Amino acid sequence: LAKNMAERVEGLMSSVAPELVGTDFTKRIIELEEEYSPLDWRVALRIGEEVAKEKFCKFKDKRLAMEIGIRAGFTYHTGGIVSAPLEGFVELRIKKTKNNKEYLAPVYAGPIRGAGGTAASFSLVMTDYIRVVMGYEKYDPDESEVNRFKTEIDDYNSRVTNLQYLPSRDELDFIVRHLPIEIDGEPTEKFDVSNYKDVPRIQTNRIRGGLCLVLAEGISQKAPKVWKRLKAWGEELNLDWNFLADFLVLQKKIKAKDQKPGEKNKLSPNFTFIADLVAGRPVLTDPMAVGGFRLRYGRSRVSGFSAASINPATMLMLNKFIATGTQLKMERPGKAA
């Protein structure tokens, strides 16, 4: 039982770091909330730093202290209500650069999807902040590693499941080369990547689902949101993420390429919802088809998480075909309901 969010964060953390229970951890969260404001990203960053510097309690070694610090900040950011900081972020690895200096690599697994794209991106900011305050080097990817990331995202999207956002190869190339930490992952699929196997610093040849989610639906998709925050106060915390500004310019250019000259931002049909259709399911319309079935839906008292509301009259017109509990895939905004 928790009286407030700070206690909820401590409760969730207690399963991986029982040492934190009964320390000034919750009190400090509340102090930081007064200094900034509740749910400010800086509260999470600062609390993570203090845990990593072992201000509340001692840990077995420095690596574990930093890992628990990242989990603490990540748990605060996600409100202490999802398992992503415990199960989605698996561990922190310390690897060697080509000059034999140490850099950080957070390891992700499938449950990271529970955090959502923005929170997954935040966990990278959190890890980088810990890297800065603890004095570790930046990640230095080589060509084979950059190509491995691109191949892995392609394989995951085509062979495992459609990503909500599939970054272009240029976007991936840019983000992997500029991220100050390496995104790593547990092997989540039964098959290997189609190319770039046996890369020395990458421990597995199998597809790493958690990594694909953090890289594609996380930082590539949510870069505008992350940059909006870091632009305001990143420098005061020594977070050098200015590359995101250039990344957004690149992203705009790539999206504009798909448009014909002189064309305004015109909506084009989105085939994703129909691409992974199970045989035997009814299709109410082709993407943006003229005369197709257009569903106006919104929020009502009965719609909750991942539920869409439609007018009861629509249900009658469809001969009560779409009923409560039917899974519905819509063309936009892209999630099923």
Side-chain angles (χ1 to χ4, degrees):
L1 291 173
K3 290 201 288 291
N4 53 28
M5 171 140 142
E7 284 187 17
R8 206 162 60 224
V9 173
E10 183 183 281
L12 194 68
M13 288 299 299
S14 67
S15 58
V16 285
E19 305 96 324
L20 279 175
V21 180
T23 60
D24 288 340
F25 181 66
T26 49
K27 196 171 122 202
R28 184 66 184 135
I29 291 179
I30 293 162
E31 282 171 14
L32 286 167
E33 283 186 332
E34 281 165 10
E35 188 181 330
Y36 297 106
S37 66
L39 284 180
D40 190 302
W41 288 19
R42 286 167 291 185
V43 176
L45 294 170
R46 293 277 304 279
I47 197 73
E49 173 192 1
E50 292 182 12
V51 171
K53 287 182 171 170
E54 303 183 271
K55 289 203 173 158
F56 304 106
C57 57
K58 291 274 176 273
F59 296 102
K60 188 176 76 204
D61 54 26
K62 193 175 166 189
R63 188 205 64 80
L64 183 67
M66 292 192 293
E67 183 187 297
I68 300 290
I70 293 166
R71 283 189 206 277
F74 193 13
T75 304
Y76 177 81
H77 182 76
T78 51
I81 49 174
V82 289
S83 69
L86 309 182
E87 293 167 357
F89 167 61
V90 185
E91 62 169 324
L92 182 69
R93 287 184 184 146
I94 297 176
K95 297 186 177 182
K96 291 277 171 66
T97 63
K98 296 182 199 77
N99 314 334
N100 217 20
K101 299 235 174 81
E102 293 182 323
Y103 71 89
L104 302 184
V107 183
Y108 295 98
I112 192 71
R113 69 180 70 240
T118 312
S121 311
F122 170 78
S123 70
L124 297 176
V125 178
M126 181 77 236
T127 307
D128 185 44
Y129 182 62
I130 295 293
R131 178 192 74 78
V132 172
V133 296
M134 302 305 263
Y136 283 84
E137 282 301 303
K138 284 185 174 177
Y139 170 48
D140 55 340
D142 57 27
E143 284 308 311
S144 57
E145 287 169 358
V146 173
N147 288 324
R148 165 66 189 263
F149 279 105
K150 292 190 220 171
T151 307
E152 203 155 346
I153 295 278
D154 280 348
D155 287 352
Y156 184 81
N157 187 62
S158 55
R159 298 171 67 191
V160 184
T161 177
N162 267 342
L163 285 160
Q164 258 181 51
Y165 178 78
L166 178 64
S168 65
R169 292 183 83 84
D170 290 346
E171 285 171 69
L172 288 170
D173 191 283
F174 186 92
I175 211 94
V176 172
R177 287 181 198 279
H178 288 84
L179 265 181
I181 50 176
E182 179 195 347
I183 307 175
D184 204 342
E186 295 267 281
T188 56
E189 308 309 318
K190 291 192 172 68
F191 39 83
D192 287 2
V193 281
S194 54
N195 203 343
Y196 296 101
K197 297 176 184 173
D198 303 319
V199 178
R201 289 193 293 193
I202 294 174
Q203 294 180 346
T204 176
N205 287 330
R206 302 222 315 263
I207 291 177
R208 301 166 291 171
L211 166 144
C212 298
L213 291 165
V214 174
L215 189 53
E217 294 180 1
I219 193 67
S220 302
Q221 186 181 15
K222 302 294 183 184
K225 268 187 170 177
V226 176
W227 178 234
K228 190 179 152 195
R229 304 290 174 103
L230 293 181
K231 191 166 65 176
W233 45 255
E235 280 180 4
E236 69 182 64
L237 295 178
N238 296 323
L239 284 169
D240 179 19
W241 281 58
N242 294 341
F243 66 88
L244 282 182
D246 302 331
F247 176 71
L248 294 176
V249 173
L250 171 81
Q251 217 172 29
K252 235 186 203 138
K253 217 186 272 170
I254 290 167
K255 284 179 180 158
K257 245 185 227 160
D258 302 335
Q259 288 178 2
K260 294 177 183 70
E263 198 178 48
K264 281 259 172 13
N265 269 346
K266 207 171 105 207
L267 269 186
S268 52
N270 182 347
F271 289 86
T272 321
F273 80 109
I274 231 162
D276 22 280
L277 189 74
V278 185
R281 292 272 175 96
V283 179
L284 294 170
T285 176
D286 282 325
M288 281 183 73
V290 176
F293 178 70
R294 294 194 55 188
L295 181 63
R296 289 193 69 112
Y297 63 93
R299 291 257 161 253
S300 78
R301 293 184 197 179
V302 293
S303 62
F305 281 132
S306 52
S309 288
I310 61 173
N311 194 309
T314 313
M315 291 163 93
L316 284 171
M317 276 177 60
L318 290 170
N319 207 2
K320 304 189 186 173
F321 188 80
I322 297 182
T324 308
T326 317
Q327 193 201 18
L328 198 59
K329 277 203 164 185
M330 297 154 299
E331 187 175 353
R332 289 194 168 74
K335 275 197 173 116

